[in-house]
Amino acid sequence: MKDPAGEVERLRQELRRHEHLYYVLDQPEISDAEYDALMRRLRDLEERHPELAAPDSPTQRVGGEPREGFVKVRHSSPMLSLDNALNDGELRDFDRRVRELLGDAEYRYVAELKLDGLSMAAHYRGGRLAQAVTRGDGIVGEDVTGNARTIRSLPLRAAAGLEEFETRGEAIMNRRAFERLNAERDERGLARFANPRNAAAGSLRVLEPRITASRRLDYYAYLLLAGGRPACDSHWQSLEDLSRMGFKVNPNRRLCRNVEEALAFCAEWEARRDELPYEIDGVVLKVDSVEQQRALAFTAKAPRWAIAYKYPARQAVTSVEGIEVQVGRTGALTPVARLKPVEVGGVTVARATLHNEDEIERLGLHIGDNVVIERSGDVIPKVVRVHSPGSRRESFRMPSQCPVCGGTVVREEGEAARRCINTNCSARLKESVLHFASRGVMNIDGMGEALVDQLVDRGMVASVADLYGLTMEKLLLLERMGPKSAANVLGNIEKSKGNPLPRVLAALGIRFVGQRTAELLAGEFGGMDAIAAAGVEELQAAPEVGPKVAQSVFQFFREPRNRELVDRLRAAGLRFEHHAAPLAGGALDGVTFVLTGTLPTLSREEATRLIQLAGGKVSTSVSKKTGYVVAGQDPGSKLAKARELGVRIVDEAQLLELAGVS
Ligand SMILES: [Zn+2]
């Protein structure tokens, strides 16, 4: 290569642009695989040319070593907390004080959503991220630079603007990442995080940057400072500047001419808060003009020019009528409180999770007690605390036998949950079948709870392999099952045989083996049999596979019952081979495809592999030579290009047909 320095710089700019499109604007133009390929090329070049290394290169997000502890850092100016307004009256009181203090001058407010996370300052020198500091006590915080660098929406290098500046903002975890993290912790028998805020704080303050990176935090900037003071004359302007500099700034903000407009904004978002992918606990209102902010100044604790309008917690008091125990796919027993139905924030709640027996003990909860429950977002409601003891209290004990099958229940050391260890347990079986058939796993549409209950209760399905032995005659014996829906279900079962190996592997329900681990194992070993035969050490040699995962996979394939299941799935015709390389002679031999947008069931990687399996090629850009553009939801500019060039456009179903798998 003639000019490695130029190529490295070009790749970095390209990657920065895509990071911004993906993590800040939420409008990716390329697939994850394409992004990874660019990253690999840059990494290769940097390895071959160490003289070109740079700390703000996109390859350097997770470079930090684990550390012993955090260094304390003094803030450039205090990160003060705000006074609260708990209702409209208190907000109007605040406005009256502002008006009186400003005399007759006109003023405006900037209203912004108050995200529920952890405040963090990020310092940039020479336009590069130099240091990140948590809020701490507002005067002194902790240096979490290594961890903050892993937050993709926090630019390592500002796109434009000042050379030396500081942003303040909120590090948050969105609801989906939070739910996924807790599900993973349940699987591992670890304590759950109580809410996304705690999860974000815990993730930013771990000593190992790799862990922070895996937690998918997000950073929204809300303040731009230079030398500890506001960098612009207007707060609204500073938000616009931050956005232009490449920071993620919450788009849900409004410049208000008076307090009534601000109250309307508060009311609007209180009603719409469930639409947001993250938690908010109110609205922050700031006087827009920095000059007026200075005139208003501070009290001992808080600025006089800003206030937090807090939404009421969505809590309610009701009584616990009973505690039921559910049995999950891994056999884990979960206690669930049956409540006297109560309305919380417009939704009737009749059940709340209690997670495990330690939680019940911590709450000091008895059946009959009155409890405070809380609902946040679409998360399952939970019991916050005992409000008052019931008149007739009954203590609860976790059963020592499975409430469904009567089998033995054990609590392993270091685990929060008790598990039913009977692999034939019908509760576990039902959950296993639902998992097997679920979206993103084997995608058997129509295989819902009602159907699975019947199939298991009638003994038609005693193992997921039995799904492939179902017939029209058998299905017609079931309630609410006509010939049409039976044919539909059978068709979907048949179609599921085309799923690639990683899905089959993930569908088995091996502990700790989700979609990603399954992809990695399939990529490393190439086939089900090689994975089944591998020893613990061999398994651990695969990327990202630790001792716990390796042990779990090894154990799974040592169970005679599981081996039998695998053999039966093979006999049913499921895919046990993983083809990373294209095969010649397929239905799509030599045809070039371009993917754009999100497909309904296939991931980018899966669609790519499917095309390659059939002998086709996948390209990143549309040209006259492109055979087909596969368009999903929210397609990018590639779709327009395809139309312009007259390239044929197909959807996922048509792709499956072309590839000969439907
Ligand atoms: Zn059981």
Side-chain angles (χ1 to χ4, degrees):
M1 182 177 306
K2 271 190 231 134
D3 178 21
E7 175 69 2
V8 162
E9 196 39 49
R10 194 189 65 74
L11 283 168
R12 284 179 187 159
Q13 275 175 18
E14 185 74 4
L15 280 160
R16 275 186 202 118
R17 193 171 76 83
H18 288 303
E19 281 188 346
H20 186 249
L21 282 167
Y22 187 97
Y23 294 103
V24 177
L25 303 178
D26 216 7
Q27 293 167 345
E29 278 181 5
I30 58 173
S31 71
D32 292 358
E34 289 166 309
Y35 176 86
D36 290 346
L38 285 172
M39 188 67 100
R40 256 197 314 278
R41 252 164 72 200
L42 177 58
R43 198 167 279 140
D44 282 354
L45 270 174
E46 287 180 348
E47 268 169 28
R48 272 186 279 139
H49 300 277
E51 73 280 7
L52 298 175
D56 64 343
S57 168
T59 57
Q60 300 302 306
R61 281 207 179 263
V62 192
E65 292 295 306
R67 36 195 309 178
E68 301 287 320
F70 295 107
V71 178
K72 303 264 187 220
V73 179
R74 198 175 178 86
H75 289 297
S76 59
S77 57
M79 288 178 85
L80 292 174
S81 47
L82 300 179
D83 282 337
N84 292 329
L86 300 178
N87 52 51
D88 292 8
E90 292 186 12
L91 198 71
R92 289 201 178 92
D93 288 345
F94 163 79
D95 177 59
R96 196 170 310 122
R97 281 194 303 275
V98 168
R99 197 173 339 125
E100 281 166 16
L101 287 164
L102 290 178
D104 277 336
E106 294 229 342
Y107 56 92
R108 292 187 298 184
Y109 289 118
V110 177
E112 294 166 80
L113 300 182
K114 187 170 183 300
L115 272 52
D116 202 6
L118 185 75
S119 303
M120 186 180 86
H123 297 263
Y124 286 75
R125 290 182 205 119
R128 292 174 167 83
L129 175 62
Q131 191 176 42
V133 185
T134 60
R135 180 177 180 277
D137 62 5
I139 306 295
V140 173
E142 288 174 328
D143 183 325
V144 289
T145 313
N147 295 346
R149 289 175 66 90
T150 69
I151 304 174
R152 302 282 182 149
S153 48
L154 181 68
L156 294 178
R157 186 177 187 168
L162 302 165
E163 287 283 290
E164 304 256 335
F165 64 92
E166 173 185 353
T167 69
R168 289 189 180 167
E170 201 79 353
I172 62 154
M173 183 177 285
N174 71 33
R175 244 180 251 138
R176 228 177 118 196
F178 171 71
E179 288 292 292
R180 208 169 43 198
L181 176 61
N182 266 349
E184 204 182 287
R185 292 177 74 84
D186 282 347
E187 282 268 288
R188 295 183 178 191
L190 299 171
R192 303 176 124 244
F193 284 106
N195 52 50
R197 182 187 54 245
N198 290 3
S203 304
L204 198 57
R205 297 187 65 258
V206 290
L207 296 171
E208 166 70 83
R210 268 171 212 289
I211 295 178
T212 315
S214 73
R215 298 279 176 85
R216 308 265 157 188
L217 294 178
D218 218 340
Y219 182 78
Y220 285 87
Y222 57 65
L223 205 57
L224 176 60
L225 304 176
R229 290 154 184 275
C232 304
D233 298 337
S234 131
H235 178 56
W236 184 262
Q237 183 59 47
S238 74
L239 295 176
E240 302 275 309
D241 281 2
L242 278 167
S243 181
R244 203 170 39 80
M245 289 160 76
F247 289 88
K248 193 164 184 170
V249 181
N250 202 310
N252 306 309
R253 55 181 190 263
R254 190 173 297 159
L255 192 55
C256 304
R257 279 169 303 181
N258 52 51
V259 72
E260 296 309 320
E261 284 186 16
L263 280 166
F265 181 86
C266 295
E268 180 185 332
W269 282 103
E270 184 169 0
R272 292 178 60 191
R273 61 198 282 201
D274 281 352
E275 292 171 23
L276 297 165
Y278 43 76
E279 296 289 322
I280 58 171
D281 57 358
V283 167
V284 172
L285 209 60
K286 289 177 182 161
V287 170
D288 182 45
S289 153
V290 170
E291 200 188 317
Q292 288 178 333
Q293 289 180 6
R294 276 196 208 106
L296 290 161
F298 298 84
T299 65
K301 301 196 318 285
R304 285 200 191 86
W305 44 266
I307 196 156
Y309 178 91
K310 295 277 248 189
Y311 291 147
R314 288 183 290 187
Q315 294 187 336
V317 176
T318 186
S319 59
V320 175
E321 296 184 325
I323 295 178
E324 292 165 8
V325 176
Q326 294 180 340
V327 184
R329 179 165 58 86
T330 59
L333 271 54
T334 306
V336 176
R338 200 174 66 243
L339 307 167
K340 185 164 175 234
V342 64
E343 205 195 278
V344 192
V347 174
T348 303
V349 173
R351 297 156 73 77
T353 181
L354 292 163
H355 301 306
N356 52 53
E357 56 194 302
D358 292 351
E359 177 72 2
I360 295 175
E361 198 172 315
R362 192 184 67 78
L363 292 164
L365 177 72
H366 292 68
I367 297 164
D369 283 353
N370 298 307
V371 293
V372 176
I373 58 159
E374 184 175 297
R375 185 176 76 85
S376 55
D378 42 14
V379 177
I380 311 163
K382 64 177 182 206
V383 174
V384 184
R385 61 188 156 83
V386 173
H387 177 266
S388 55
S391 51
R392 286 173 53 197
R393 302 183 95 192
E394 196 186 317
S395 61
F396 170 79
R397 297 210 95 175
M398 283 295 276
S400 55
Q401 283 173 323
C402 173
V404 177
C405 72
T408 311
V409 164
V410 296
R411 182 172 179 177
E412 279 169 46
E413 219 185 296
E415 296 219 339
R418 285 175 192 250
R419 286 172 203 280
C420 166
I421 55 170
N422 173 17
T423 48
N424 288 309
C425 175
S426 71
R428 291 185 61 176
L429 178 60
K430 285 175 184 173
E431 290 294 327
S432 310
V433 176
L434 286 170
H435 167 74
F436 187 89
S438 63
R439 193 153 257 268
V441 186
M442 294 298 271
N443 275 330
I444 306 180
D445 267 358
M447 190 60 69
E449 225 164 288
L451 178 56
V452 171
D453 277 353
Q454 289 197 65
L455 289 172
V456 171
D457 291 343
R458 290 177 179 238
M460 289 183 187
V461 168
S463 144
V464 289
D466 292 336
L467 292 177
Y468 295 97
L470 290 174
T471 58
M472 181 65 90
E473 294 72 41
K474 284 187 193 169
L475 287 181
L476 287 177
L477 294 173
L478 301 176
E479 288 162 32
R480 294 185 301 277
M481 180 65 77
K484 200 171 160 204
S485 40
N488 217 337
V489 167
L490 289 173
N492 292 335
I493 291 173
E494 190 59 31
K495 212 159 75 184
S496 75
K497 293 179 182 173
N499 279 315
L501 175 65
R503 292 219 172 178
V504 179
L505 202 52
L508 293 176
I510 306 171
R511 254 186 114 191
F512 309 132
V513 180
Q515 193 64 39
R516 173 155 179 83
T517 308
E519 292 263 356
L520 293 167
L521 285 169
E524 182 75 11
F525 290 92
M528 183 73 87
D529 294 331
I531 298 168
V536 174
E537 269 174 40
E538 276 175 90
L539 288 164
Q540 236 177 288
E544 293 180 36
V545 172
K548 221 166 164 176
V549 179
Q551 192 61 42
S552 171
V553 174
F554 180 79
Q555 285 296 344
F556 180 89
F557 288 107
R558 296 303 162 289
E559 282 287 326
R561 228 185 111 77
N562 294 335
R563 292 210 83 116
E564 189 203 318
L565 166 67
V566 168
D567 286 341
R568 290 185 58 203
L569 291 177
R570 183 201 318 270
L574 268 58
R575 296 200 179 197
F576 275 32
E577 299 302 320
H578 187 64
H579 301 286
L583 296 178
L588 304 178
D589 229 0
V591 182
T592 303
F593 285 75
V594 172
L595 303 166
T596 181
T598 311
L599 300 177
T601 70
L602 294 172
S603 71
R604 284 285 177 124
E605 289 70 26
E606 288 167 343
T608 302
R609 199 170 305 121
L610 180 75
I611 291 165
Q612 288 170 343
L613 259 169
K617 280 188 279 209
V618 176
S619 166
T620 57
S621 56
V622 181
S623 75
K624 280 190 177 150
K625 290 186 186 146
T626 306
Y628 297 90
V629 164
V630 185
Q633 222 189 341
D634 301 325
S637 56
K638 292 169 190 172
L639 186 63
K641 186 83 189 280
R643 290 208 176 105
E644 196 182 302
L645 294 176
V647 173
R648 278 167 294 184
I649 296 160
V650 294
D651 60 13
E652 181 183 283
Q654 289 165 310
L655 168 65
L656 291 169
E657 212 167 293
L658 285 168
V661 292
S662 73

